């Protein structure tokens, strides 16, 4: 069956997620603000969940309509064929958001969507109430400029929860963003990836998954694996395909360091859980002593931010240190994500390229040096 999908993502990653989806065989790929629309069948549903490195979730689009009043919201939801996905025993909680719309109370919209779904399913199943003891079918609505979209979440836990990071440091970078930094830095399977402030090791692990073509969702399960509409054979075949797609990269290595020995040990444990410990080398070291031991390398790092871990003065001193140790070197590129407006001045030279990204709700730029 042909389905319409939506993959939400961090702002700034839409184009990268669109490229991922095209490579996976999706049809009608269209990047939008904070999301990417696409189409495909149930096989693509499973494939997207297993393989998307930079998206947050995979939604099935159940419907789209205009709603300026609660009556219009109610009738719009009630008109949708929810019974195609929600069974008589299934649980169907509702969550969502509203932005720049006349209906701005998320709580009220949530109640209306739930009531309309109940009324629709009552009529279809001839029930007066629903036990909701079966499979969870999470409904999510988006109200933007009076346009309502209703989604079915197929992922369950967000896609950045790969399953390898049981613990994280004080201010970890999200796995989807770490993967994006490696893609933007054009990491290759014959590179050495360096992160001299590696924290819990997320950039190193995501870089290794990318370099060896390992599907990031292999270590976890997804909500849609329990949906009767998606056969077990689809998931089994796509997992087998993903396992067979791994390409060992004997020339690749991920070298990380952190000033905190506890973080180094945590990164080591996370790499083991991600099945990539054979590629990841770790040591306790201060970034001021950074000295790569290879002829070429890709440095990708997420230094502590003034807003997150340190005073602004200490963060500024750190950026000056990075400018000194990340010297121009043939065969090397450097990528640093930072919210500091004066980054290039503190670093000591303008970036060859920079890109606006969001680390959670914090606006940052990814500064890339490769000349």
């Amino acid at each position: 069956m042909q389905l319409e999908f939506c993959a939400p993502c961090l702002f700034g990653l839409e184009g990268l997620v669109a490229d991922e989806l095209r490579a996976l065989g999706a049809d009608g790929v269209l990047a939008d603000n904070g999301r990417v629309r696409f189409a495909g069948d149930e096989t693509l549903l499973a494939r997207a969940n297993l393989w998307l490195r930079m998206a947050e979730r995979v939604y099935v689009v159940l419907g789209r309509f205009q709603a300026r009043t609660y009556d219009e919201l109610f009738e719009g939801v009630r008109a949708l064929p929810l019974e195609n996905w929600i069974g008589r025993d299934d649980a169907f909680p509702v969550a969502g958001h509203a932005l720049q719309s006349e209906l701005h109370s998320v709580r009220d919209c949530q109640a209306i969507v739930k009531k309309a779904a109940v009324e629709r399913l009552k009529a279809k199943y001839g029930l007066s109430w629903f036990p909701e003891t079966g499979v969870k079918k999470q409904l999510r609505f988006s109200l933007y400029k009076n346009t309502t979209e209703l989604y079915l979440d197929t992922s369950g836990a967000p896609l950045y929860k790969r399953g390898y990071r049981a613990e994280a440091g004080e201010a970890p970078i999200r796995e989807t963003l770490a993967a994006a930094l490696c893609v933007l830095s054009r990491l290759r399977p014959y590179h050495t990836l360096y992160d001299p402030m590696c924290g819990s090791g997320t950039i190193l692990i995501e870089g290794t998954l990318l370099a060896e073509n390992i599907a990031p969702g292999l270590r976890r399960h997804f909500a849609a694996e329990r949906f009767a509409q998606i056969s077990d054979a689809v998931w089994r075949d796509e997992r087998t395909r993903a396992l067979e797609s791994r390409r060992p990269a004997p020339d690749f290595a991920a070298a990380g360091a952190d000033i905190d020995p506890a973080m180094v040990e945590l990164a080591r444990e996370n790499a083991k859980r991600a099945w990539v410990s054979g590629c990841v080398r770790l040591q306790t070291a201060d970034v001021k002593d950074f000295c790569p031991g290879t002829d070429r390398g890709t440095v990708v790092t997420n230094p502590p931010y003034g807003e997150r871990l340190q005073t602004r003065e200490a963060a500024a001193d750190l950026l000056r240190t990075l400018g000194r140790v990340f010297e121009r070197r043939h065969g090397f590129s450097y990528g640093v994500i930072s919210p500091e407006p004066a980054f290039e001045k503190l670093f000591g030279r303008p970036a060859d390229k920079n890109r606006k990204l969001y680390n959670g709700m914090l606006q940052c730029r990814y500064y890339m040096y490769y000349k």
Side-chain angles (χ1 to χ4, degrees):
M1 55 180 169
Q2 190 75 355
L3 300 167
E4 182 182 354
F5 298 101
C6 176
C9 60
L10 294 173
F11 286 105
L13 302 188
E14 298 91 345
L16 298 178
V17 174
D19 289 343
E20 284 192 285
L21 285 162
R22 293 186 187 99
L24 293 175
D27 297 322
V29 178
L30 179 64
D32 201 351
N33 288 330
R35 58 189 173 183
V36 180
R37 304 179 187 282
F38 61 104
D41 58 11
E42 57 268 34
T43 296
L44 185 65
L45 182 156
R47 187 177 300 164
N49 273 296
L50 283 164
W51 278 101
L52 284 176
R53 299 182 190 280
M54 293 170 280
E56 300 299 298
R57 295 177 185 274
V58 175
Y59 295 149
V60 173
V61 180
L62 300 178
R64 183 182 301 108
F65 54 88
Q66 292 290 305
R68 291 179 171 81
T69 68
Y70 289 121
D71 284 344
E72 289 177 344
L73 179 62
F74 179 88
E75 295 300 335
V77 173
R78 189 168 66 168
L80 300 177
L82 303 180
E83 65 278 2
N84 290 348
W85 291 97
I86 302 175
R88 59 194 301 127
D89 296 320
D90 291 342
F92 49 103
V94 175
H97 64 271
L99 183 65
Q100 299 180 34
S101 294
E102 293 177 49
L103 301 179
H104 55 270
S105 170
V106 172
R107 180 177 295 181
D108 290 341
C109 290
Q110 187 175 351
I112 293 295
V113 171
K114 180 70 176 185
K115 182 178 179 181
V118 168
E119 292 303 313
R120 171 78 187 198
L121 296 172
K122 273 184 180 180
K124 293 297 177 179
Y125 294 125
L127 298 175
S128 59
W129 69 282
F130 292 87
E132 298 197 48
T133 55
V135 175
K136 182 180 177 181
K137 306 288 180 66
Q138 177 71 60
L139 297 178
R140 298 185 183 272
F141 64 86
S142 166
L143 259 166
Y144 179 63
K145 293 185 176 179
N146 298 321
T147 296
T148 299
E149 292 190 340
L150 189 65
Y151 308 123
L152 175 65
D153 183 0
T154 72
S155 300
L159 295 182
Y160 66 81
K161 294 192 174 182
R162 317 288 206 212
Y164 64 75
R165 199 164 75 176
E167 295 184 56
E170 189 174 353
I173 190 171
R174 188 172 289 188
E175 291 87 336
T176 45
L177 181 56
L181 300 185
C182 292
V183 170
L184 288 170
S185 287
R186 299 185 179 183
L187 182 67
R188 297 292 185 262
Y190 48 83
H191 288 188
T192 297
L193 170 64
Y194 289 94
D195 183 359
M197 293 170 286
C198 69
S200 56
T202 306
I203 289 173
L204 300 170
I205 293 169
E206 291 297 322
T208 305
L209 296 178
L210 176 65
E212 296 210 330
N213 200 46
I214 301 171
L218 269 177
R219 287 188 49 81
R220 55 162 289 176
H221 292 283
F222 305 94
E225 290 184 74
R226 300 187 64 202
F227 292 4
Q229 294 81 1
I230 314 296
S231 73
D232 291 342
V234 166
W235 289 100
R236 183 172 59 251
D237 291 348
E238 285 303 305
R239 285 188 179 276
T240 299
R241 178 179 180 271
L243 283 167
E244 292 174 349
S245 296
R246 180 172 185 171
R247 297 192 299 265
D251 296 327
F252 176 83
D258 199 276
I259 197 170
D260 184 350
M263 285 294 99
V264 173
E265 185 56 35
L266 181 55
R268 185 172 286 113
E269 290 301 314
N270 287 340
K272 288 179 182 177
R273 280 190 286 265
W275 303 333
V276 298
S277 58
C279 294
V280 178
R281 304 195 299 263
L282 296 159
Q283 63 175 329
T284 302
D286 193 317
V287 67
K288 67 181 178 61
D289 300 319
F290 176 68
C291 183
T294 56
D295 293 331
R296 59 187 178 188
T298 302
V299 178
V300 179
T301 196
N302 172 42
Y305 305 157
E307 292 90 337
R308 297 161 69 206
L309 294 181
Q310 302 178 330
T311 65
R312 288 187 63 85
E313 293 76 13
D317 286 342
L318 176 58
L319 297 184
R320 294 187 188 97
T321 297
L322 296 187
R324 178 176 58 81
V325 299
F326 292 173
E327 60 186 7
R328 287 188 176 92
R329 184 187 304 233
H330 179 72
F332 269 75
S333 68
Y334 305 96
V336 185
I337 185 169
S338 174
E340 174 54 61
F343 176 90
E344 290 168 302
K345 180 179 179 181
L346 294 166
F347 190 83
R349 62 185 188 270
D352 297 306
K353 188 176 181 180
N354 74 79
R355 181 168 178 147
K356 182 166 70 174
L357 298 173
Y358 282 81
N359 192 354
M361 297 303 293
L362 184 62
Q363 182 177 311
C364 298
R365 284 194 175 272
Y366 188 47
Y367 296 93
M368 290 167 274
Y369 297 82
Y370 44 80
K371 294 180 182 177

